[in-house]
Amino acid sequence: MENLKEKLRLVISKIKRAPLIDEKTLNEVLKDIQRALLYADVSVDIVLRITENIKKRVKEEKLPPGFSKRELLLKIVYEELINMLGGETRYKPSIKKGQLHIVLLMGIEGSGKTTTAAKLAYFYKKRGFKVGLICADNYRPGALSQLKQLGEQIGVEVYGEENRDSIDIAIKGIEFFKKRRYDLIIIDTAGRHKDEKNLMDEMSKLVSAIKPDETILVLDATIGRQAEKQAKAFNEIAKVGSIIVTKLDGAARGGGALAAVVKTGAKISFIGVGEKIEELEIFDPPTFVNRLLGFGDVKAIVDRFRAYEELDKKRLRAMGKGDFTLLDLLDQLMALRKMGPLRKLVELLPGGYNLPADFERVGEENIKKWIAIMQSMTKKELLHPEIINRERMMRIAKGSGTSIHDVKALLKSYRMTKSYIKKLSKQRFKKMPYFSK
Ligand code: GDP
Ligand code: MG
C-alpha cells in the first residue's frame, strides 16, 4: 500500500499547492489519481468512474460560504475514495453473548485462513466472548498442529482430529463447543487452489451440513483485482456474508483488491495488516482513506464541510418556519459577492423593491468583514443571534480581527434585513388572491 499512499499524497499536495484550481489543474489531478489507482491494480472501469464522479461533482456542487474550490476538490477526492472502498458504514459484528454463533471461513490455500481464524478468535476473546476454534482442514499435513499452536498462544480451545472427514470433524466440533456453552465457533477449512472444483464442492457440502450463521471469505490482497473473480466464485457456492482481506500490509495491489471486492457488492468486515495475531482490524473506509492520505488536514477540511452541512440543514428547517437566521445572511452575502453589485440585482427583482438604506451602503469591504465575523461565531450563535451578549461579541470580534462596533453593526443590519424580509413576504402574500381575504 506504500506506493498508493505515496502517489495519493502527491496528488493531495498538488491540489494544495496549485496556484489555481481551474480546468487544467483538475485534469492533471484526475490523471494523477488514475495513475495511482491503476498502479494499485484498481480496474479501469472503477478508475474511470471515480474520476468522472470527481469531475462532475466539482462542477456541480455548490461552494458553501467560507470554503474554497481547492477545499471542495479535496473533500470530493476524499469522499470518492471512500465510496470506492464501500462507503462510510462500517461492519458491525452481530455476535451476542449467550447465543451460539457459527462462523465458517473459506478461501483458497495460502490466503490466510488459519492465521485469520486465530486472529478473529483473539479479537472476540478480548471482547469477552467464549470462543472455540475447529480445524476442518485435514488435507494439509500439519494444519491441525498449526491451529493448535495458535490457539495455545491466545488461550483458545481448538477442536480437531487427524484422519477424519472434514464434515464429521466440523459437526463433532460444534457439538463439543455447544455443550460447553460457547458464544462463538470459528471453523477453519482447507483450500486447495490446484483443484478448484473439488474445493468448491466440499465447501458447498460443508455449508449445507453445518449451516453456519456466517460465512466469511478470506482473500489475499496481493491478488489485486483478481479478487473480484474469487469473490464471485465463492458467492455462488455459499452466500458470502463478508470478506476478510489479508496481507494488506505491503501489498502493492491492495487497493485494487479492496475496490474489486466492493464492486461485487460484498461487505469487507476485517482486514489483515500483518502476520501477528493482533494485526486484524475492523475495516472502516474513512479510517483507511485517512491513513492513505495522511491524517490531518484533509480530514479537518472534510469535518468543516460536514459541520457546515449539518448547520445548513438546521438553517433550512428554520427557514421553513419563516425564520431568517444569520446564516442565511452569510449565505446570501457569499452569493452576492459572486453576482456583482447589489443595486443591479435588486433592479432585476419584480416589483422594484427598495432595500433598506443600510443594506445599500454595504460595500465589498463590509461584506468581507461580515463574513469573517460570522465565521467566528458558533453554530448556536448563527442560528440564534439573540444569545450574543457583550462577552460573546468580544470573543467574536477578537476571533475575526474586527471590533465590537463591527459586530454590533452587523447584528443591527441583520435585524433590519430580517424585519424587511418579514414585511416583504407579507406583501407577497397580500398580492396573491388566495391570501387577500
Ligand atoms: P491458509 O492456507 O489460508 O490457512 O493461510 P495461512 O493462515 O496459513 O497463511 C499463509 C501465510 O500468510 C502465512 O505465512 C501467514 O503468516 C501469512 N499471513 C496471513 N495473514 C497475513 C497478513 O495479514 N499479513 C501478512 N503480512 N501475512 C499474513
Ligand atoms: Mg490453513
Side-chain angles (χ1 to χ4, degrees):
M1 297 307 285
E2 283 311 306
N3 235 302
L4 179 60
K5 197 190 259 179
E6 211 172 277
K7 287 194 163 71
L8 285 176
R9 286 185 187 194
L10 282 176
V11 171
I12 297 300
S13 71
K14 189 176 215 163
I15 298 175
K16 282 186 182 158
R17 282 193 329 248
L20 194 68
I21 304 295
D22 54 6
E23 189 88 21
K24 187 172 156 273
T25 314
L26 180 60
N27 285 334
E28 261 177 53
V29 163
L30 293 177
K31 275 232 173 69
D32 289 348
I33 293 174
Q34 288 177 344
R35 250 180 251 130
L37 295 177
L38 286 172
Y39 193 85
D41 207 31
V42 178
S43 67
V44 178
D45 55 327
I46 298 176
V47 172
L48 288 180
R49 198 178 57 217
I50 179 171
T51 47
E52 265 160 32
N53 281 353
I54 295 172
K55 199 166 185 173
K56 191 159 162 264
R57 288 183 59 187
V58 168
K59 287 209 172 104
E60 286 173 3
E61 275 179 30
K62 188 182 147 216
L63 201 57
F67 291 89
S68 64
K69 191 130 188 211
R70 191 186 309 276
E71 290 168 325
L72 181 66
L73 176 56
L74 286 170
K75 174 188 114 118
I76 291 172
V77 169
Y78 173 90
E79 287 177 346
E80 287 300 323
L81 285 173
I82 289 176
N83 284 343
M84 180 185 85
L85 297 176
E88 305 220 351
T89 46
R90 60 190 248 151
Y91 171 81
K92 274 202 203 80
S94 58
I95 297 162
K96 290 190 185 77
K97 277 173 201 159
Q99 194 178 315
L100 181 67
H101 190 86
I102 301 171
V103 172
L104 180 76
L105 293 186
M106 315 187 286
I108 64 167
E109 188 179 336
S111 58
K113 282 180 307 302
T114 304
T115 314
T116 303
K119 282 177 173 180
L120 263 185
Y122 180 67
F123 178 91
Y124 285 112
K125 189 193 170 196
K126 259 195 327 199
R127 283 159 181 76
F129 293 94
K130 220 173 152 188
V131 191
L133 282 163
I134 297 176
C135 175
D137 175 358
N138 49 15
Y139 288 90
R140 225 193 60 202
L144 179 59
S145 63
Q146 185 194 357
L147 192 62
K148 278 209 158 138
Q149 203 183 333
L150 289 166
E152 228 162 74
Q153 196 185 319
I154 56 176
V156 165
E157 178 119 32
V158 175
Y159 185 91
E161 291 172 57
E162 307 272 5
N163 309 319
R164 204 187 172 122
D165 177 60
S166 59
I167 295 178
D168 286 348
I169 300 174
I171 290 171
K172 285 195 79 186
I174 291 170
E175 265 167 34
F176 176 88
F177 288 121
K178 221 179 197 169
K179 263 191 230 146
R180 290 161 179 81
R181 302 197 172 281
Y182 273 58
D183 303 309
L184 173 63
I185 301 172
I186 300 166
I187 306 172
D188 181 23
T189 61
R192 298 133 297 151
H193 65 289
K194 286 200 187 72
D195 197 353
E196 205 171 291
K197 172 97 179 43
N198 239 335
L199 166 65
M200 296 301 183
D201 281 350
E202 182 178 325
M203 278 306 129
S204 117
K205 273 188 206 139
L206 201 52
V207 169
S208 29
I210 62 174
K211 296 189 181 56
D213 298 290
E214 194 180 348
T215 44
I216 299 180
L217 174 63
V218 178
L219 277 181
D220 179 340
T222 58
I223 64 171
R225 74 180 119 153
Q226 289 298 320
E228 184 184 349
K229 217 173 95 198
Q230 259 191 46
K232 278 186 177 156
F234 275 95
N235 202 43
E236 263 165 37
I237 52 139
K239 184 98 192 64
V240 172
S242 71
I243 293 184
I244 297 181
V245 180
T246 63
K247 308 184 199 176
L248 265 174
D249 49 307
R253 310 163 117 198
L258 293 173
V261 168
V262 169
K263 195 182 153 198
T264 67
K267 182 92 200 143
I268 301 173
S269 49
F270 292 87
I271 50 175
V273 291
E275 286 186 272
K276 289 198 217 86
I277 214 90
E278 66 276 6
E279 287 173 320
L280 180 81
E281 300 174 1
I282 287 189
F283 182 57
D284 181 45
T287 307
F288 195 81
V289 169
N290 279 324
R291 227 181 274 160
L292 276 181
L293 303 184
F295 272 108
D297 14 33
V298 178
K299 171 85 165 55
I301 291 167
V302 174
D303 285 346
R304 266 181 55 224
F305 269 97
R306 297 279 152 90
Y308 174 81
E309 278 157 17
E310 194 191 307
L311 194 57
D312 204 41
K313 257 190 237 147
K314 280 190 190 150
R315 177 180 70 94
L316 288 175
R317 231 178 285 140
M319 239 167 54
K321 286 188 232 149
D323 225 5
F324 180 78
T325 65
L326 264 175
L327 201 65
D328 297 303
L329 183 61
L330 179 60
D331 223 31
Q332 292 190 349
L333 288 178
M334 296 296 293
L336 277 177
R337 264 179 79 182
K338 272 193 233 139
M339 275 186 245
L342 198 53
R343 269 242 144 266
K344 282 258 172 331
L345 194 75
V346 174
E347 279 165 13
L348 293 174
L349 292 173
Y353 296 114
N354 289 315
L355 279 177
D358 224 33
F359 212 144
E360 279 183 55
R361 272 194 285 108
V362 176
E364 181 67 8
E365 263 318 294
N366 260 339
I367 291 184
K368 267 192 205 148
K369 207 187 261 179
W370 283 9
I371 290 172
I373 292 172
M374 286 191 264
Q375 282 170 348
S376 294
M377 292 181 180
T378 64
K379 279 186 206 174
K380 211 169 163 194
E381 287 162 353
L382 284 169
L383 288 169
H384 308 283
E386 64 281 0
I387 65 165
I388 303 177
N389 53 19
R390 208 182 151 75
E391 206 176 303
R392 284 180 188 258
M393 278 187 208
M394 260 153 55
R395 194 209 74 236
I396 293 163
K398 206 170 164 200
S400 55
T402 60
S403 66
I404 284 211
H405 178 77
D406 292 325
V407 180
K408 273 188 182 158
L410 163 67
L411 290 173
K412 187 173 163 228
S413 288
Y414 159 69
R415 281 193 294 271
M416 285 179 66
T417 313
K418 186 174 170 168
S419 73
Y420 177 70
I421 281 173
K422 258 198 185 139
K423 249 188 265 161
L424 204 85
S425 57
K426 269 186 204 149
Q427 269 176 26
R428 281 217 179 115
F429 283 142
K430 260 189 222 151
K431 277 182 198 153
M432 284 192 255
Y434 285 113
F435 291 92
S436 59
K437 286 172 245 167

